[in-house]
């Protein structure tokens, strides 16, 4: 992503990044193009892409981004959503105006999808951000369109407060349709990413294309140049540059025959329940509890091919899917199951930066929003060899266990394949260090915790006699009471997690649902302490979960313990990163440094 050429701030990397709608060839070239949303540098139309061009940042050097909601057409009129937005959730709700924005509206009859201007707000996932720059879900804003309906709220409940706070801290005002965030980059070198986080709209805005990598390099927790495979893509590279470090964003998508994105337009798609919906029952008419698409997309292309040299590569994987857990292997057959690992992964990093040491793995388990920084060594593999990155996760919610034994693997002909790797000739000598000989930068443990919180993960079924039994209507977080029962809490309930500033706490995640949930806590890099079945004894974290993380798998029927230090005051969120869950109540605010009343 190119920076602004003549920035005003001294010593700050400055960007102006907009969100626009455009067409891109996601499907093979013989098929139609796809209308997507994506980020790009406002100064250069050619930089708009799904997923976004990558942002490169340096430890200790701040980045300032003006994020522009440019979802308008050539005449300055707002662009409605391409996908069906359910207005019955607790969502941004611009039609509610100032008094009823960020709420769950009531209806006298079942509404159709929302067709107004689209709220966005961008979150740097894994960023050690202050509250006003974190992309808080109620700090959204509409595009500065010339036809926004009268009475609509144009910003979320916290936008004005954070706008004032940013102006006070940095002397810069946010213009209508924009927000300016500053990232201090005062953290370990790591693979971060950014994506939309608007309340009750995240699943749709991310599915439409709003995501990209943010790679933080340098500082004492990085390796010297030349140790790992390089180069990585950089702004201004000649077109024939050969890359040996490649970030890979893996997502699942479905398409209509005209090339447009398919995403469910009715609850009926999920479980066949055709109504009645709200307000007759408590079932939302459009929202689906999860969505599993039927093609795999890597860096904005369905089932791409990468030609590799017989040498080492650094691959930074992101699971950017809405709901799908991935279990990745490099195999020599695209369809044989169980897949045999042909080349191992050497995992060297996760969300919080480098692991304590390299870990050799036959397969990578990646929940939604998790990242794996790996070295793959193709040295000595004959030219012309065809390898396949395959996925043995399920085409359904993940529980745990062994692919093909405890759950059916993804369709080997479609979602079981991710990309093809073809070994070509060696073009230059590989000077990187073999992965088993790497010494990785150390991590500093957090020390003892002063507070332990017991939190719960829950699923709620419909209360309506008109809906079939066990019809899921929302997922919720909450607390655990004195006798161990879950206390279900929604987005609108008062804050229950309010760490003191600079406190180190242990959060116990008690999963009372039948599925695994990836839990993300904003602001912090946490340590995974252990996991414990409800009636069992604690087990240490997986070897690839050491170091620090920002997203952790909470397995069903287990307590997952994480430890974090909360050193930025203010209001943040923690949530499930299955975005369909996050958008319908599986998200809660926490407040660091005392409490503050909720604005509405």
């Amino acid at each position: 992503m190119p920076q602004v050429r003549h920035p005003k701030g001294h010593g700050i990397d400055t960007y102006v990044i907009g969100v626009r709608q455009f067409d891109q060839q996601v499907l093979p070239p013989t098929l139609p193009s796809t209308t997507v949303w994506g980020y790009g540098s406002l100064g250069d139309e050619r930089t708009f892409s799904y997923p976004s061009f990558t942002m490169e940042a340096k430890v200790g050097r701040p980045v300032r981004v003006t994020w522009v909601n440019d979802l308008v057409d050539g005449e300055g009129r707002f662009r409605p959503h391409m996908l069906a937005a359910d207005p019955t959730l607790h969502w941004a709700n611009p039609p509610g105006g100032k008094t009823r924005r960020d709420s769950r509206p009531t209806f006298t009859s079942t509404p159709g999808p929302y067709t107004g201007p689209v709220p966005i707000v961008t979150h740097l996932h894994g960023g050690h951000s202050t509250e006003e720059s974190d992309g808080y879900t109620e700090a959204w804003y509409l595009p500065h369109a010339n036809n926004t309906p009268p009475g609509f709220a144009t910003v979320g409940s916290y936008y004005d407060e954070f706008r004032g706070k940013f102006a006070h801290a940095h002397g810069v005002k946010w213009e209508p349709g924009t927000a300016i965030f500053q990232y201090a980059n005062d953290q370990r070198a790591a693979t971060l990413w950014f994506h939309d986080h608007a309340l009750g709209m995240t699943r749709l805005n991310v599915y439409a294309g709003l995501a990209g990598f943010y790679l933080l390099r340098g500082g004492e927790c990085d390796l010297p140049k030349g140790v790992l495979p390089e180069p990585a893509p950089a702004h201004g590279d000649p077109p024939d540059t050969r890359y040996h470090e490649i970030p890979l964003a893996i997502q699942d998508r479905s398409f209509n025959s005209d090339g447009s994105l398919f995403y469910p337009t009715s609850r009926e798609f999920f479980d066949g329940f055709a109504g009645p919906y709200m307000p007759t029952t408590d079932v939302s008419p459009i929202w689906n509890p999860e969505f599993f698409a039927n093609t795999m997309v890597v860096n904005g292309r369905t089932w791409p091919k990468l030609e590799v040299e017989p040498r080492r590569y650094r691959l930074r994987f992101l699971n950017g899917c809405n709901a799908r857990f991935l279990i990745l292997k490099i195999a020599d057959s695209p369809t044989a199951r169980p897949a045999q690992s042909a080349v191992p992964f050497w995992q060297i990093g996760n969300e919080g930066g480098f692991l304590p040491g390299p870990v050799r793995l036959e397969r990578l388990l990646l929940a939604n929003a998790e990242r794996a920084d790996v070295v793959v060594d193709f040295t000595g593999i004959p030219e012309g060899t065809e390898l396949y990155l395959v996925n043995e996760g399920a085409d359904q919610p993940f529980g745990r266990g062994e692919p093909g034994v405890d759950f059916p693997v993804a369709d080997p002909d479609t979602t079981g394949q991710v990309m093809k790797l073809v070994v070509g000739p060696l073009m230059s000598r590989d000077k990187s260090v073999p992965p088993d000989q790497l010494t990785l930068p150390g991590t500093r443990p957090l020390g003892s915790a002063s507070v332990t919180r017991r939190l719960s993960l829950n699923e709620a079924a419909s209360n309506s006699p008109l809906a079939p039994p066990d019809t899921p209507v929302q997922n919720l977080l909450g607390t655990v009471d004195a006798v161990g029962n879950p206390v279900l809490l929604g987005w609108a309930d008062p804050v229950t997690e309010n760490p003191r500033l600079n406190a180190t706490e242990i959060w116990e995640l008690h999963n009372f649902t039948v599925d695994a949930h990836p839990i993300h806590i904003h602001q912090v890099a946490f340590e995974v302490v252990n996991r414990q079945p409800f009636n069992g004894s604690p087990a240490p974290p997986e070897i690839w979960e050491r170091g620090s993380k920002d997203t952790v798998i909470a397995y069903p029927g287990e307590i997952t313990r994480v430890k974090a230090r909360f050193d930025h005051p203010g209001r943040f969120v923690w949530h499930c990163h299955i975005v369909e869950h996050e958008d319908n109540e599986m998200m809660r605010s926490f407040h660091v440094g005392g409490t503050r009343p909720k604005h509405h």
Side-chain angles (χ1 to χ4, degrees):
M1 182 71 78
Q3 298 180 27
V4 171
R5 286 210 185 89
H6 306 289
K8 295 191 177 72
H10 183 65
I12 297 173
D13 291 342
T14 307
Y15 297 83
V16 178
I17 297 176
V19 165
R20 285 186 185 157
Q21 179 170 307
F22 50 91
D23 290 340
Q24 182 172 309
Q25 197 65 45
V26 181
L27 294 161
T30 53
L31 296 171
S33 63
T34 301
T35 303
V36 292
W37 290 355
Y39 294 102
S41 173
L42 272 198
D44 186 352
E45 185 150 298
R46 294 164 306 179
T47 63
F48 281 82
S49 167
Y50 152 66
S52 168
F53 281 16
T54 296
M55 296 178 70
E56 285 275 353
K58 297 180 196 73
V59 169
R61 184 177 172 91
V63 164
R64 181 179 292 176
V65 184
T66 303
W67 297 105
V68 181
N69 187 342
D70 206 25
L71 290 170
V72 291
D73 65 16
E75 272 69 64
R77 298 178 303 231
F78 70 81
R79 289 192 186 276
H81 218 295
M82 302 186 294
L83 309 172
D86 193 324
T88 69
L89 307 182
H90 189 135
W91 71 296
N93 193 31
K98 256 197 160 157
T99 53
R100 292 196 307 281
R101 63 186 171 183
D102 298 318
S103 73
R104 186 182 286 270
T106 51
F107 295 91
T108 51
S109 61
T110 303
Y114 169 71
T115 55
V118 174
I120 67 160
V121 62
T122 300
H123 168 58
L124 176 60
H125 184 124
H128 180 233
S129 301
T130 52
E131 60 170 356
E132 74 281 2
S133 292
D134 190 51
Y136 186 68
T137 186
E138 289 187 359
W140 53 265
Y141 47 99
L142 300 182
H144 192 45
N146 59 25
N147 65 334
T148 303
F152 269 48
T154 58
V155 298
S157 311
Y158 279 87
Y159 178 94
D160 288 334
E161 179 186 331
F162 291 159
R163 180 178 183 262
K165 189 174 175 187
F166 192 92
H168 182 73
H170 302 287
V172 184
K173 279 207 165 71
W174 302 354
E175 298 296 324
T178 76
I180 307 172
F181 294 164
Q182 187 151 317
Y183 309 116
N185 297 317
D186 57 349
Q187 57 191 98
R188 304 177 74 220
T191 307
L192 282 60
W193 66 301
F194 55 94
H195 59 80
D196 183 71
H197 216 298
L199 184 67
M201 296 285 278
T202 299
R203 70 197 182 288
L204 305 174
N205 292 354
V206 172
Y207 192 84
L210 299 186
F213 280 103
Y214 182 109
L215 303 180
L216 183 55
R217 301 182 192 272
E220 58 185 27
C221 298
D222 205 353
L223 290 170
K225 215 172 150 39
V227 173
L228 294 176
E230 54 184 54
H235 183 57
D237 283 339
D240 58 348
T241 309
R242 299 186 75 90
Y243 301 115
H244 306 116
E245 179 194 315
I246 303 173
L248 298 169
I250 302 175
Q251 298 173 303
D252 54 342
R253 294 290 181 267
S254 293
F255 301 88
N256 298 305
S257 54
D258 63 359
S260 60
L261 286 169
F262 170 84
Y263 189 86
T265 55
S266 167
R267 167 66 188 227
E268 193 175 359
F269 178 86
F270 177 76
D271 56 6
F273 180 61
Y277 301 122
M278 290 182 180
T280 312
T281 66
D282 54 4
V283 183
S284 287
I286 300 171
W287 175 80
N288 278 225
E290 294 95 18
F291 175 60
F292 294 85
N294 61 12
T295 77
M296 299 304 273
V297 175
V298 184
N299 294 358
R301 299 269 178 169
T302 50
W303 293 301
K305 180 181 88 171
L306 176 67
E307 187 174 299
V308 295
E309 299 172 49
R311 59 179 296 154
R312 288 180 281 279
Y313 280 74
R314 180 185 188 181
L315 304 176
R316 299 184 190 239
F317 288 105
L318 161 69
N319 179 347
C321 300
N322 277 33
R324 178 187 291 278
F325 282 52
L326 300 170
I327 299 176
L328 303 174
K329 263 183 199 161
I330 297 174
D332 47 22
S333 160
T335 53
R337 298 294 182 271
Q340 296 302 313
S341 166
V343 184
F345 302 104
W346 285 89
Q347 187 168 348
I348 56 171
N350 54 19
E351 298 93 70
F354 287 109
L355 295 172
V359 178
R360 186 183 191 272
L361 298 168
E362 305 286 308
R363 65 183 184 203
L364 293 177
L365 166 63
L366 280 181
N368 314 84
E370 285 190 307
R371 282 89 74 203
D373 191 352
V374 306
V375 173
V376 176
D377 194 347
F378 299 103
T379 304
I381 297 177
E383 193 179 329
T385 302
E386 297 186 344
L387 298 165
Y388 296 86
L389 182 69
V390 299
N391 165 44
E392 293 185 296
D395 291 324
Q396 62 188 42
F398 181 73
R400 65 160 346 121
E402 200 54 37
V405 178
D406 298 299
F407 54 85
V409 297
D411 179 355
D413 291 321
T414 56
T415 49
Q417 298 181 44
V418 181
M419 61 190 284
K420 184 176 183 175
L421 302 155
V422 181
V423 181
L426 183 66
M427 307 300 278
S428 59
R429 200 159 70 83
D430 187 352
K431 297 176 187 162
S432 68
V433 176
D436 57 335
Q437 295 168 31
L438 284 169
T439 303
L440 301 178
T443 51
R444 289 197 194 95
L446 281 171
S448 61
S450 55
V451 172
T452 297
R453 297 182 189 274
R454 303 170 79 204
L455 305 168
S456 60
L457 282 53
N458 313 282
E459 185 171 69
S462 172
N463 292 320
S464 171
L466 298 173
D470 300 324
T471 296
V473 291
Q474 53 190 221
N475 290 85
L476 299 108
L477 300 171
T479 56
V480 178
D481 70 16
V483 292
N485 295 316
V487 179
L488 280 61
L489 296 169
W491 175 247
D493 288 309
V495 168
T496 48
E497 287 68 62
N498 44 8
R500 282 191 338 295
L501 185 61
N502 295 320
T504 298
E505 300 195 344
I506 287 177
W507 287 19
E508 295 189 344
L509 308 170
H510 297 241
N511 185 352
F512 293 95
T513 78
V514 296
D515 300 325
H517 298 267
I519 298 295
H520 172 45
I521 307 173
H522 285 218
Q523 186 204 129
V524 300
F526 54 70
E527 294 171 8
V528 183
V529 180
N530 59 32
R531 290 189 178 85
Q532 182 170 6
F534 286 170
N535 298 313
S537 34
E542 304 285 1
I543 192 165
W544 61 86
E545 294 180 313
R546 294 181 308 166
S548 58
K549 287 174 62 64
D550 61 37
T551 305
V552 67
I553 300 175
Y555 288 100
E558 287 191 7
I559 303 163
T560 301
R561 293 184 180 90
V562 299
K563 183 197 287 186
R565 181 166 178 263
F566 297 87
D567 61 355
H568 279 315
R571 197 174 190 94
F572 297 87
V573 294
W574 66 286
H575 59 88
C576 175
H577 220 291
I578 293 170
V579 281
E580 285 82 9
H581 295 180
E582 169 186 344
D583 271 348
N584 193 6
E585 302 295 343
M586 205 166 187
M587 175 164 64
R588 294 272 294 151
S589 290
F590 67 91
H591 191 276
V592 179
T595 53
R596 182 169 61 183
K598 192 171 169 82
H599 297 237
H600 267 314

